[in-house]
Amino acid sequence: MTAPTAPGRGTPAPSVAPETLLDGTNRTSDVAVMKWLIRTRQADLAHPGIRRWVVPLLCAGLGVPAVRDAANGIGPTVPMVLALIVAFCVPLLWRQQRPVLVFALTSAVASVSLALDADTGSEAARIVALLNVGRSVRPAQLAVCLAIAIAQTSVAVGVRSADQPSQQFLQTSVLVIVQAALIAAVAAAGLVGRVMNAYIRALHERAVRLEVERDQRARLAAAAERARVAREMHDILGHTLAVIVGLAGGAAGLTETKPKRGAETLRIIADSGRGALAELRRLLAVLGEERDTEDGSPLAPQPGLADLDPLLERVRGAGPTVTLHTAGALTDLAPGLQLAVYRVVQESLTNTLKHAAPDTTVHVTLTTEDTSVHARVEDAGPPSTPHSPAPRDEGRGLVGMRERAALYGGSVTAGPNTNGGWTVEAHFQTTTTPPPPHTAPTEKRPA
């Protein structure tokens, strides 16, 4: 369905289905009426000249019997009748632009017609003009025009029935009341049409606004999902590649002096690569809204604090000495909170592998209290490049850690320590309302 173009505008209005306007399809009769109104409105907007000219021509057609009577010598002359018909009908061409003026002109012509005792039949133009007044002007102006129309009609009925016998007075009074009621009904129809048009426009604008808001929510959700995926991929690839680079550097020397130890290192590299691939497949499965991987492998939960030992083993394989100290029931925390703590520790160890010496010592401390969790990752340095203690990753990694902590009402601080190394401290609140699924996901990943 092509969207209609509003008069005087160059761009079409958005097309909204009647089912959307009426919030559903259960009210079939209302939907059918709405469809008919929309089609009529679209046809009117597509061909505005048809209605503009058809209505005056119909009113002029009502004057044909009066012209025939004048030609037969009944009543006024033909030129006078034609002049009155033209005076009634031509102003209707501007009834939408100047409704009050057109009503005044047709009322004046009706007064002249009454004074000349000429019944042209085109007095219906006054009704059309009054209808457009009801559809266009304020209620106060409509009331004035309605009063004029009723008074003029009452006078016309009274004048034309003056020569009737007195016993017809009651019939004349009834006729005046009926015609006044019909004129009031015409004015009310115009007012109701105006209210209905305003209501339909309001429904249309509301439906368009709801569609825009829905699209905006979808775009925001997609942006949040992309940010989450980017953060996850940074954590996965950054950590895994840092481990692989460290292990590969050691394996290059061990293959000549200690082949067995070099083979073990290569196996750790392969395991780390497979783990990274599994994580990436999990992300791709989430993006594709798949419940299983292509090869049918089962899905496992996201990493939690119970998975810290394999993480630390991979880091130890790259050279650093890593110790873990825990206090409290860490595995009883919510899965989303465990994932956030795990990722913070993982990112901190990744930065250690990137910036600290291969033989550094790293202390990881995790403690839980009644309403909070504290994580501390501290390495003893020294930096991998002497005399250039460049700051650790201040890009996506630190931003991602802070975002994860903020989701649980916490914070992250990072900076150099007195041992020449780097310390990352993170605090999380256990009583914070869990974040939405798209910000701290608990989807599953391939095992």
Side-chain angles (χ1 to χ4, degrees):
M1 181 183 293
T2 305
T5 302
R9 298 178 183 250
T11 57
S15 179
V16 180
E19 294 82 356
T20 304
L21 293 177
L22 295 176
D23 294 330
T25 59
N26 294 330
R27 295 175 288 181
T28 55
S29 60
D30 294 342
V31 171
V33 172
M34 184 69 73
K35 287 182 177 179
W36 179 80
L37 289 174
I38 290 176
R39 286 195 297 267
T40 304
R41 181 63 175 167
Q42 287 177 341
D44 184 34
L45 293 175
H47 307 283
I50 294 179
R51 181 161 58 95
R52 182 185 181 189
W53 287 94
V54 166
V55 174
L57 291 176
L58 288 176
C59 292
L62 295 176
V64 172
V67 175
R68 185 183 62 236
D69 292 342
N72 294 331
I74 302 174
T77 62
V78 173
M80 182 181 296
V81 173
L82 290 176
L84 290 174
I85 293 175
V86 171
F88 270 124
C89 299
V90 171
L92 294 181
L93 295 174
W94 294 274
R95 62 189 182 278
Q96 289 184 315
Q97 292 83 358
R98 297 288 188 271
V100 176
L101 178 60
V102 171
F103 175 78
L105 291 175
T106 54
S107 299
V109 175
S111 299
V112 173
S113 177
L114 180 62
L116 297 175
D117 193 20
D119 187 7
T120 64
S122 297
E123 286 84 356
R126 286 195 312 126
I127 303 301
V128 175
L130 182 61
L131 180 65
N132 278 273
V133 168
R135 296 178 61 182
S136 305
V137 303
R138 296 191 298 271
Q141 292 175 303
L142 175 61
V144 173
C145 295
L146 178 60
I148 293 174
I150 292 176
Q152 195 172 33
T153 301
S154 301
V155 170
V157 172
V159 169
R160 288 172 179 169
S161 61
D163 55 348
Q164 295 180 358
S166 58
Q167 60 267 24
Q168 300 295 328
F169 176 77
L170 182 59
Q171 295 181 2
T172 302
S173 300
V174 173
L175 182 61
V176 168
I177 294 174
V178 170
Q179 290 197 3
L182 292 176
I183 291 174
V186 170
L191 184 60
V192 170
R194 177 183 178 183
V195 172
M196 286 299 298
N197 286 334
Y199 181 66
I200 291 174
R201 284 196 299 271
L203 284 177
H204 186 276
E205 292 172 359
R206 175 177 176 270
V208 172
R209 185 172 62 253
L210 289 176
E211 287 188 351
V212 171
E213 291 176 356
R214 180 196 62 193
D215 294 340
Q216 289 177 343
R217 287 195 298 270
R219 286 194 294 269
L220 289 175
E225 181 68 10
R226 286 194 295 270
R228 182 190 68 79
V229 171
R231 186 168 59 244
E232 290 287 321
M233 292 187 70
H234 173 273
D235 293 341
I236 296 168
L237 295 180
H239 171 76
T240 304
L241 290 178
V243 171
I244 289 176
V245 169
L247 290 172
L254 291 174
T255 52
E256 297 179 358
T257 58
K258 299 179 179 179
K260 184 177 180 180
R261 179 68 182 277
E264 293 177 355
T265 304
L266 292 176
R267 280 193 291 270
I268 295 176
I269 292 175
D271 292 339
S272 299
R274 279 192 293 270
L277 287 176
E279 291 280 356
L280 291 178
R281 288 173 60 193
R282 188 267 309 169
L283 287 178
L284 295 177
V286 170
L287 290 177
E289 298 181 355
E290 299 173 359
R291 295 184 178 272
D292 296 307
T293 55
E294 293 181 358
D295 58 0
S297 60
L299 296 177
Q302 286 260 34
L305 297 182
D307 301 304
L308 282 177
D309 288 336
L311 172 66
L312 301 184
E313 285 299 326
R314 289 197 299 269
V315 175
R316 293 188 186 105
T321 301
V322 185
T323 61
L324 175 63
H325 305 278
T326 62
L330 296 175
T331 56
D332 293 339
L333 300 175
L337 180 56
Q338 291 193 43
L339 173 63
V341 176
Y342 179 92
R343 292 303 189 197
V344 168
V345 173
Q346 182 185 50
E347 179 62 27
S348 301
L349 295 174
T350 300
N351 286 338
T352 297
L353 292 174
K354 289 180 180 178
H355 301 284
D359 57 349
T360 188
T361 300
V362 185
H363 300 285
V364 179
T365 305
L366 300 177
T367 59
T368 61
E369 298 178 357
D370 292 339
T371 60
S372 61
V373 179
H374 305 279
R376 180 185 178 91
V377 180
E378 180 180 18
D379 67 70
S384 57
T385 304
H387 310 298
S388 61
R392 303 295 175 100
D393 184 7
E394 293 290 341
R396 184 178 295 275
L398 186 56
V399 171
M401 287 192 288
R402 287 172 176 165
E403 288 179 354
R404 291 183 185 277
L407 290 175
Y408 291 91
S411 60
V412 173
T413 58
N417 55 40
T418 56
N419 299 324
W422 199 264
T423 300
V424 176
E425 292 191 41
H427 304 275
F428 304 85
Q429 298 294 326
T430 59
T431 57
T432 304
T433 302
H438 66 272
T439 54
T442 56
E443 298 92 344
K444 295 184 176 182
R445 61 185 177 88

